[in-house]
Amino acid sequence: MKSRAKRNLVEATAGYIFAICAVIAIFAVCSITAYMITKGTPAFSTVGVSELLFGMRWEPTAAKPAYGIFYIIISSILGTGGSILLGVPVGLLTAVFLTEVADKRLAALVQPAVELLAAIPSVIYGLLGLMILNPAMYKLEKLIFTGSSGHQFTGGSNLLCAVIVLAIMILPTVVNVSASSIRAVPDELRAASLALGASKIQTIFKVTIPAAKSGIMTGVVLGIGRALGEAMAINMVAGGSVNFPLPFNSVRFLTTQLVSEMGYAEGTHRQVLFAVGLVLYIFIMLVNFALQKMRKEAAGHE
Amino acid sequence: MNDHAGSLLTEKRKRTQDLYLRFLIFLCASFTVLLLAGIIVYVLMAGMHRVSWSFLTSVTSVLKGTVGIAGNIVNTVMIIFMTAVIATPVGVGAAIYLNEYARPGKLVDGIEFATETLSGIPSIIFGLFGMMFFGQTLGLGYSLLTGSLTLILMVLPLITRNTQEALKTVPDSYRHGAVGLGAGKWHTIRTILLPSAMPGIITGVILAIGRIVGESAALLFTAGSAKALPRTIGDLFPKVFQSGGTMTIQLYLSATSEGDFETAFGIAVVLLLLVFLINLGTKSLAANFDVTRKK
């Protein structure tokens, strides 16, 4: 009888311990949100909401400091958008190759390549961008801007480099998610299209991809999240000053602003950096909400 | 007559369009493969001559004239160990709760939502939170412990998700059989479910290790960048509370503020090798993921 009571106790305790483990995730998200908000909001009152969000001047260490992060915000948006424009078509077509075109042998070559690309640490992408892209970009820059007085030379560290590096970094995500949603398209659709006289390629672009649209969109949104949150790689290739995001300008993103200035910032400067973190967090949360809504809808369709 | 010519024309246009699109598809796929090949070749060419026994076993010192990453390797290993030791039981526990105990409802929705959200938060935000909460509020400062605690939150969803997937593949008949024989829930989990789900759990842990090896943004403001090597085994424990940069952090610093690209590429070679090995490991495990197929 005693051992039975002991057993019941062990059973109950185990249940509670597992529940605690599971609740830690909720606790973590709540505390991260709470910290981002409490640390990020003071700057809005010290600097002023419109001056902070829409100010065009970022001079935190000047005698009369200015803390406008408008250029930083639009750099992040444009950089992410550019990387999506570049990375999604390549990723989608690679996914089409993997699922619809390639035979087993070729697919066995491309699939591991995609997986390994996903596994490469971001600092390595940054290092390669620094050594390969930046010098090439500098040559291009000299070619385009020689003689023009308005352009400040960057040595090749610019928005374009960041966009290219980001596009490469989101490629595996887009390929994997698109490929699995294309695989989920029922074969009857393909067979019907082929039977009606459409060619294989027509079937892919007119039937299969439209049918896999929602899954592909999920991949795109995941890519947006990746690109918005990437910090180290683009910090190494995008240059070090806050500018309007023109292709050949040196730019700062929300993430790179944190990486490069958090180490030494003090006082209001530090507060503003936390506000930058809060803006980034809000963007990421919007992406997350969109993603979860899309997933729920996809699950509802099944 | 006219109609016939017209349809021939569209047929021809169709074929050239097909050809063009097919070419684009091949171009994109070969770009992906060539990109990887290019990265590997470039990193090896630029960094291979840097990697030697002394590079792996000594610490960079102007005084002794040595260049090495031994300190960073020790830091990386310690962070991996501390993170995995804590994150694995918690992540597995959460998965067990979600799959075996919980009934659908608000709490489960909340946990699922939180897990999903955690996996979508970028590492720089984790770094910021780790610096504020573990570093400042809890007073741990820049230390390997602060870094590990931060990374635990980051890899938790990875371990939970993989364990959940593994638990889902365990057939219900196993559970019914155990309960029918009079086993309690915990007993069933311990003796039947966990062993069956082991390949999935290990896959999750290895994926987490891969994530930690490649992580940099979350560690910059939590674990810091010190590269000293502990002199004795006894020095390892106090190291937990001291700053320590992993290999990725050292790569970043070498390539930016220190301007030492040779070392940066040397570390890149070591990192590439590591992540490729990890990838191989998860693949071979995934092959025997499904317990029902196992003999």
Side-chain angles (χ1 to χ4, degrees):
Chain A
M1 217 47 205
K2 201 178 170 192
S3 80
R4 180 155 200 188
K6 195 180 152 201
R7 205 178 105 179
N8 284 343
L9 186 71
V10 170
E11 288 289 334
T13 324
Y16 281 118
I17 290 175
F18 294 136
I20 291 170
C21 289
V23 173
I24 286 179
I26 297 185
F27 186 70
V29 170
C30 290
S31 24
I32 290 175
T33 309
Y35 260 82
M36 294 314 290
I37 292 173
T38 49
K39 292 276 184 177
T41 41
F44 285 96
S45 54
T46 38
V47 179
V49 175
S50 66
E51 199 155 321
L52 184 70
L53 289 180
F54 302 109
M56 312 273 182
R57 279 180 36 231
W58 175 263
E59 286 154 9
T61 48
K64 203 167 163 279
Y67 300 102
I69 62 170
F70 184 66
Y71 285 166
I72 302 173
I73 295 176
I74 50 173
S75 293
S76 260
I77 294 173
L78 279 180
T80 303
S83 69
I84 293 293
L85 282 182
L86 210 61
V88 168
V90 179
L92 179 57
L93 290 185
T94 306
V96 166
F97 179 83
L98 268 178
T99 51
E100 304 284 312
V101 179
D103 56 25
K104 270 211 173 113
R105 229 162 19 109
L106 278 175
L109 185 71
V110 179
Q111 184 66 45
V114 174
E115 279 162 25
L116 289 181
L117 278 179
I120 294 177
S122 60
V123 281
I124 293 187
Y125 283 112
L127 178 65
L128 290 169
L130 194 68
M131 299 303 279
I132 302 171
L133 276 181
N134 283 1
M137 224 29 112
Y138 188 41
K139 275 187 196 142
L140 203 63
E141 189 182 23
K142 279 195 283 198
L143 211 67
I144 297 173
F145 292 99
T146 348
S148 83
S149 55
H151 182 73
Q152 198 179 1
F153 277 88
T154 59
S157 311
N158 57 30
L159 177 66
L160 269 184
C161 284
V163 165
I164 294 171
V165 170
L166 282 178
I168 290 172
M169 291 182 76
I170 64 167
L171 199 60
T173 310
V174 177
V175 174
N176 284 333
V177 180
S178 308
S180 61
S181 68
I182 291 175
R183 278 195 196 104
V185 173
D187 266 339
E188 288 85 8
L189 286 182
R190 294 186 187 89
S193 165
L194 291 173
L196 286 170
S199 69
K200 190 169 176 186
I201 296 289
Q202 281 177 319
T203 305
I204 291 171
F205 284 92
K206 299 257 161 74
V207 177
T208 316
I209 290 181
K213 200 174 60 190
S214 70
I216 294 168
M217 277 313 291
T218 310
V220 173
V221 176
L222 263 176
I224 292 176
R226 281 280 149 78
L228 263 179
E230 177 49 45
M232 301 301 264
I234 52 175
N235 190 42
M236 293 163 87
V237 301
S241 55
V242 177
N243 279 310
F244 186 80
L246 291 173
F248 283 92
N249 274 359
S250 156
V251 290
R252 277 278 174 81
F253 300 92
L254 291 166
T255 50
T256 66
Q257 191 68 9
L258 294 173
V259 169
S260 43
E261 293 185 13
M262 206 51 170
Y264 64 85
E266 275 166 18
T268 313
H269 186 187
R270 195 175 171 80
Q271 272 188 1
V272 173
L273 288 185
F274 282 123
V276 169
L278 179 60
V279 172
L280 173 65
Y281 191 66
I282 291 171
F283 275 134
I284 290 292
M285 279 303 163
L286 289 177
V287 170
N288 271 348
F289 281 129
L291 207 59
Q292 302 208 7
K293 200 163 165 258
M294 289 166 86
R295 285 206 175 123
K296 218 167 253 169
E297 269 167 22
H301 276 304
E302 273 165 20
Chain B
M1 179 69 194
N2 246 346
D3 262 16
H4 185 61
S7 77
L8 263 183
L9 205 67
T10 40
E11 190 63 31
K12 203 173 169 194
R13 198 178 294 146
K14 208 155 71 174
R15 256 186 240 147
T16 43
Q17 202 183 24
D18 274 15
L19 217 62
Y20 177 62
L21 285 171
R22 192 177 274 272
F23 172 73
L24 265 184
I25 293 173
F26 271 93
L27 195 72
C28 288
S30 38
F31 171 77
T32 309
V33 176
L34 289 177
L35 183 71
L36 178 75
I39 289 173
I40 295 173
V41 170
Y42 194 96
V43 168
L44 285 183
M45 298 256 283
M48 206 54 216
H49 66 277
R50 199 5 117 204
V51 181
S52 64
W53 184 243
S54 83
F55 182 71
L56 297 175
T57 55
S58 61
V59 177
T60 301
S61 151
V62 186
L63 220 63
K64 289 188 211 151
T66 52
V67 177
I69 56 165
N72 306 111
I73 294 178
V74 171
N75 290 336
T76 310
V77 171
M78 283 182 75
I79 284 193
I80 289 174
F81 179 76
M82 290 195 288
T83 309
V85 158
I86 304 174
T88 307
V90 175
V92 171
I96 290 175
Y97 179 76
L98 285 172
N99 269 47
E100 309 298 328
Y101 284 88
R103 291 192 183 80
K106 282 237 165 71
L107 183 65
V108 172
D109 286 351
I111 296 167
E112 294 275 0
F113 177 80
T115 309
E116 238 6 77
T117 307
L118 268 189
S119 66
I121 292 178
S123 49
I124 181 77
I125 299 270
F126 279 110
L128 215 54
F129 172 72
M131 179 186 80
M132 294 190 287
F133 181 64
F134 300 119
Q136 289 166 6
T137 309
L138 298 188
L140 296 169
Y142 284 93
S143 66
L144 291 181
L145 186 61
T146 309
S148 298
L149 290 171
T150 309
L151 291 186
I152 288 168
L153 300 180
M154 206 178 83
V155 300
L156 209 53
L158 215 56
I159 295 174
T160 304
R161 282 279 174 255
N162 274 285
T163 309
Q164 272 186 291
E165 289 304 314
L167 284 173
K168 271 179 202 152
T169 63
V170 180
D172 269 345
S173 57
Y174 285 30
R175 294 182 181 84
H176 298 159
V179 171
L181 288 171
K185 207 159 198 173
W186 163 236
H187 193 76
T188 312
I189 290 166
R190 195 162 46 91
T191 54
I192 313 275
L193 297 183
L194 282 183
S196 310
M198 204 40 92
I201 296 172
I202 298 175
T203 306
V205 174
I206 296 182
L207 281 174
I209 292 176
R211 186 92 200 264
I212 300 167
V213 168
E215 186 48 53
S216 44
L219 289 172
L220 196 57
F221 300 120
T222 54
S225 59
K227 50 191 167 193
L229 189 67
R231 278 161 207 280
T232 60
I233 302 290
D235 282 349
L236 277 178
F237 182 71
K239 189 105 191 64
V240 170
F241 300 100
Q242 292 160 9
S243 153
T246 58
M247 286 187 276
T248 46
I249 294 291
Q250 188 53 46
L251 193 167
Y252 173 72
L253 294 174
S254 295
T256 52
S257 55
E258 294 171 12
D260 177 5
F261 296 109
E262 287 230 320
T263 304
F265 274 111
I267 300 174
V269 171
V270 177
L271 282 176
L272 273 190
L273 202 70
L274 269 179
V275 295
F276 287 0
L277 280 179
I278 287 169
N279 196 278
L280 218 66
T282 47
K283 262 223 177 112
S284 64
L285 270 171
N288 51 8
F289 199 105
D290 190 351
V291 284
T292 49
R293 262 186 290 157
K294 218 164 46 173
K295 281 271 156 82

